[in-house]
Amino acid sequence: MTLHELQQACAALRDEAPARIAAADSLDAWHELRNTLLGRKSGRLTELMALLPQLAKEERREAGAAVNALKQTLEAAFDARKGELEATASRGPTLDLTMPSRASWRGAVHPVSLVIDEIGDIFRELGFTVALGPEAESPWYNFTALNFPDNHPAMDMHDTLYLKDGGVLRTHTSPVQVRTLQSYAPPVRILAPGNVYRRDFFDATHAPAFAQLEGLAIDEGITFADLKATLAHFARAFYGQRTPTRLVPSYFPFTEPSGQMEVFFDVGDGRGARWIEIMGCGLVHPAVLESAGLDSERYSGWAFGMGPARIAMSRFSITDIRLFYDSDVRFLEQFA
Amino acid sequence: MLISHEWLRGFVPHALSPDALRALITAHVATVDGMERLRADLATIVVARVVRAGRHPNSDHLWVTKVDDGSGTLLDVVCGAPNVTEGALYPFARVGTVMPTGNKGGILIERRKIRGEVSNGMLCSAKELGLGEDHDGILALDVDAAPGTPFLEAVPVGDVCYDIDVLANRPDLLSHYGMAREVAALQGLTVGDPRDVFDVDQATGAVRFGDGVRGRVPSAGGRAVHDMARAASGGATVQLDDADGCPRYMGVVIRGVTVAPSPEWLVRRLAALGLRSISNVVDVTNYMLHGYGQPMHAFDLARLAQQTVVVRRARPGETLVTLDGVARALDERMTVIADAERAVAVAGVMGGKESEVSASTTDVFLEVAYFTPRNVRVTRRALGLSTDASYRFERGIDPAIAPHALSIAAQLITLVAGGAVEGQAIDVGRAPEPRARVAITPRRVERLLGAAVGSDEIQRLLSSVGFTVTSRGDSAETLDVTVPSWRHDVSRDADLVEEVARLRGYDALPDVVLPFRPGTVPDHPLHVAGQRVRDALVGMGLFEVRPLPFVAGNDDTHARVENPLAEDEPHLRLSILETLARRAEYNLSRMQGNVRLFEVGSVFAPRPGQLPVEKVRVGLLVMGARRPAHFTDTSKELFDAWDAKALGERVAELAYPGMRISLEAGDGAPVLWRISANGGEVGTIEKIALDKPVWASDAFGVEITLGRLPSAAVAAPGSHDYSAGVAGRAPAKGHVTYRPLPTTPPAEFDLALLVPDGVSAAQVEQLLRKSGGELLERVELFDEFRGAGVQEGHRSVAWRLTFRDATRTLRDKEVDGRRQKILRTLETELGVRARSA
């Protein structure tokens, strides 16, 4: 072996190696090729190195440098190729990333509850907590304590569902007012969500039972102006800050003065924006405070009641209230 | 309640546009729900003047006219009316007009030649405009209007009808006069007193009050003949036997009337409210009802036996054919008007057919009465017959208006039907006059409204709507207020505060949210628990539902609704799962087999003579696929009992945080497990029986009680018990105590055990824990197998046990020793052996 022959062998290896390295199309092929060329026992380069001692001493240095340079070149090429192959491997085989995910079932809060929660969030910021009361209620809490005169038409069998053992299914959440005022000393600021019952037959806009949301604020010095401002604040928070609001006269036995809060709003029924009643309200009637044993000269306050189902109907463009009760999963899943 | 704009303006001469009036009434009185412009179809018709009229050259009955329609150009118009007069004003339809309702309704007016002469539009007759039957000639207008003026502006046929949602406590607003009183007060105008003699403008129907016409029509008999039980005049006798149902009854005889069609103004008044004209006499009674809020009735005197009116209770079995032609069965609860022999009218509801005023009537007995609201309501309900009259009597009419209404009505009848009052008015009984007196101070008004209103202003506002106000002149500026007879809704100072607030307008109040003190009421524990459970279940893929709580049930076990909406579901549910099962079936009937529903709601257990025991529970139902289908799935997994068990355990943990939850196997039909919290049963896990199609899978349910909603009285009426609220406070959710993370390695081994049938996994597990010692950290069941290699009557169940000492690494010998000890214990106590052994 001459220096010249060794140099030729190096050149041949340098010429053929890049194509072969590039042709290694898997990590296995890469390992095999690297072993063939650079393997410590039988690699071609190793074989060339093994020839060095056969050279003349003065040629050995030059030849050694050439072989080492080649080794470095090849190792760099192998490293680069390995990086490419690894990158390809990490992307995996032919995976179609547009295939659907493995989903879990999505649950949903009922649309009427969504509205109750949203209203509740606004009033929570104003210091309100949640109170509850029974749906099977005594006539005293449902009517008498709320200043309904005897023989009020609402107490009629045509409007109220009576229980066999003397109770009624509450016709509104207002009994919670008196129960709460009997249980807790003012200041009282509560929301009372719950189901109420009327002797209404089902149709697209009426149901025999529906959700109501009652609000009550009692303390010394609470005024009708505060009611108006607070409920207008609520209405703007709920319907949008630019929504016009107005408070107009109304009547309920348990409030005096009474009003209804209205917003100028497009409920999406195709009739355009108009004044929509969103709640009945008023200063709590002195007789109601007295029902709970409060001094009506010292304490005052306001109350309101609203129907979340009606709001949910306009918010979600639902035209038949019966959908809220049917519990059709195809309806419910839309609120997930 | 329908109100006619023109009729109202007859009572109070305001200058408001319909839109402005609507806004005014809504802001201060009651919501105006709707507003309908009547005869809006006449909007395109204008007033035009015929400047010249000459004979048509080719016709002996047509005219060729020059018409000024205000456009600046005189139009050639051919006209066939015999009455066309130069210089007169007529309604005119221009070219391009679509004719309004009438005998040419819908026809487009075009420029065309009539016998060779061009005609640019049409002069209209009354019939062509739907304003009457007159078609003999065009409608000459006696108005002061420039040519081109819209017809509706010049002639008051284009009324506006308001639909007002009159509040239940304001029956005084159920008439034009009552509404006029409010409008006058709000506009600073005066409304005529109904006691004043009045005049009706024949053209407009406007009622004019004042001295100018006093005495033009005969009065209603001057001073009435009064008695508490029986009185007679003019040939008629009134006897009051039911003073309870009818505290006051008045009447008067009018003889010599001519029953005929009503004059146009009266027809128009009623038509504005959608009412049909019947005859002049009957129309006057309807006019009085809608005009003054006093329902009235006119009897044909000749048909009253012995010319006698008896106000009494109906007799058992008595019947009456009412005006609508229906035979009504009467009973003793009902007050009737009778003659000497039989009932002739149902008091306050409807008159009888036989005694009604007909074309042959010449003598009329006119009735004005105050009927007791409660009695009228009972009668109306019993007969299922609601009328404009019963609606007003039920809510309470003005008890003081009767003599004035009788006078006005008698005058109106003689005005439109001729005849004359004979004798005097008859007045039997006495109307209730609860004229409340209420004191109020400016300080009280300010404290409740949050805005200062001066004493003078309060006085002015209240006086404007008929309250009589006197100042005490004390330092508090107290005002003594007497409530007018028509206001039954005012009895306390708060009621007067409302009057002040609404008359000033709620808009006038300041818009400032007051600072507030935090309330004393904690969130209700059932609400807190309910929300916690709800949010978790939604996260687990279930849908919240809010169905009705009514079920079929039966009287022995369920609380019954006395007057249920549906006879097939008259009971309140005992369990949420009852409801959810029906909702699942509803979904199955719509081919929806993947059903995952839950509800947090009330259930009711009956108690004799008391309100039912009401509990708030959470119920859930799952059936169908455990997960949405995915392309990698090898099989379809369905919800099974183990899913239900997990849901039950999880819901119980959430409902009873910090408490020990344990499950006990039930009998499987339907209860799979009973759930306890700290040893007390709180719910069940069930397999739900459904009426289901063959393709549907099994349904499983969980129902857990969150707590009871007490319905007993908190305290006696008029008192409170502030300890009641505190006692009802929920235990706060328990705090977790942190355990340090392990620093030593665990030692694990698996036990595959041969468990004889009859030994439960729970028994084995209990023993594993007992014999495993303190270092046993975790016991996990991971396999069950029956079949080859497992002897008959046994199953192989495998557990993985994890041991750990917090301070050192366990030695193999120690762990193996423990394993041997466990196996010995299992064998001796349960006959359970290791499978490999």
Side-chain angles (χ1 to χ4, degrees), chain B residues 374-394:
Chain B
R374 186 178 312 172
N375 299 39
V376 174
R377 182 157 61 241
V378 168
T379 305
R380 187 261 297 169
R381 285 271 163 72
L383 294 176
L385 179 61
S386 185
T387 60
D388 284 335
S390 69
Y391 190 84
R392 285 163 178 77
F393 281 124
E394 267 184 59

Side-chain angles (χ1 to χ4, degrees), chain B residues 208-487:
Chain B
R208 288 182 190 149
F209 296 89
D211 291 331
V213 289
R214 189 183 294 277
R216 214 185 86 179
V217 286
S219 78
R223 248 182 103 81
V225 185
H226 180 262
D227 192 272
M228 288 306 288
R230 187 182 171 91
S233 186
T237 305
V238 173
Q239 180 173 322
L240 178 59
D241 289 348
D242 181 18
D244 171 48
C246 177
R248 184 184 204 179
Y249 190 95
M250 292 190 73
V252 72
V253 172
I254 304 172
R255 293 192 190 268
V257 300
T258 305
V259 177
S262 288
E264 190 274 334
W265 68 265
L266 183 52
V267 173
R268 197 170 66 232
R269 281 284 180 257
L270 298 176
L273 308 182
L275 296 170
R276 197 168 50 88
S277 171
I278 295 166
S279 69
N280 47 10
V281 174
V282 175
D283 286 355
V284 167
T285 63
N286 281 329
Y287 179 89
M288 292 304 296
L289 183 148
H290 294 281
Y292 291 91
Q294 171 70 58
M296 306 186 87
H297 191 66
F299 295 97
D300 184 338
L301 185 60
R303 291 175 182 272
L304 296 179
Q306 297 174 29
Q307 324 271 286
T308 297
V309 168
V310 184
V311 185
R312 60 167 169 81
R313 290 299 170 105
R315 296 177 180 131
E318 197 165 14
T319 59
L320 172 68
V321 177
T322 43
L323 280 173
D324 52 5
V326 178
R328 309 277 175 180
L330 309 176
D331 64 46
E332 308 94 294
R333 290 173 299 170
M334 305 172 185
T335 304
V336 295
I337 313 305
D339 63 12
E341 292 161 8
R342 70 234 139 99
V344 294
V346 183
V349 180
M350 194 179 266
K353 186 99 185 142
E354 201 151 321
S355 58
E356 78 174 315
V357 169
S358 66
S360 61
T361 301
T362 56
D363 300 338
V364 167
F365 178 77
L366 191 59
E367 162 196 295
V368 174
Y370 179 88
F371 296 115
T372 308
R374 186 178 312 172
N375 299 39
V376 174
R377 182 157 61 241
V378 168
T379 305
R380 187 261 297 169
R381 285 271 163 72
L383 294 176
L385 179 61
S386 185
T387 60
D388 284 335
S390 69
Y391 190 84
R392 285 163 178 77
F393 281 124
E394 267 184 59
R395 283 156 181 78
I397 63 166
D398 178 359
I401 200 177
H404 316 303
L406 187 65
S407 168
I408 295 166
Q411 292 175 76
L412 273 175
I413 285 176
T414 53
L415 182 75
V416 302
V421 168
E422 182 163 313
Q424 293 165 267
I426 302 166
D427 185 2
V428 184
R430 185 159 288 135
E433 276 222 52
R435 303 286 295 273
R437 286 171 64 89
V438 185
I440 190 165
T441 62
R443 180 176 146 73
R444 178 74 169 155
V445 172
E446 182 176 357
R447 275 183 53 128
L448 289 180
L449 287 189
V453 186
S455 176
D456 291 349
E457 175 71 353
I458 296 170
Q459 194 159 0
R460 184 188 71 77
L461 291 167
L462 294 176
S463 303
S464 73
V465 285
F467 291 85
T468 311
V469 187
T470 55
S471 174
R472 252 183 231 175
D474 57 5
S475 59
E477 298 183 275
T478 309
L479 300 173
D480 288 308
V481 181
T482 305
V483 179
S485 61
W486 57 87
R487 291 297 297 271

Side-chain angles (χ1 to χ4, degrees), chain A residues 117 130 151 156 162 258 297, chain B residues 377 381 447 506 534 562:
Chain A
D117 287 358
V130 174
N151 284 295
D156 198 273
Y162 280 86
S258 303
E297 293 286 328
Chain B
R377 182 157 61 241
R381 285 271 163 72
R447 275 183 53 128
Y506 290 174
R534 188 191 80 175
E562 277 278 87

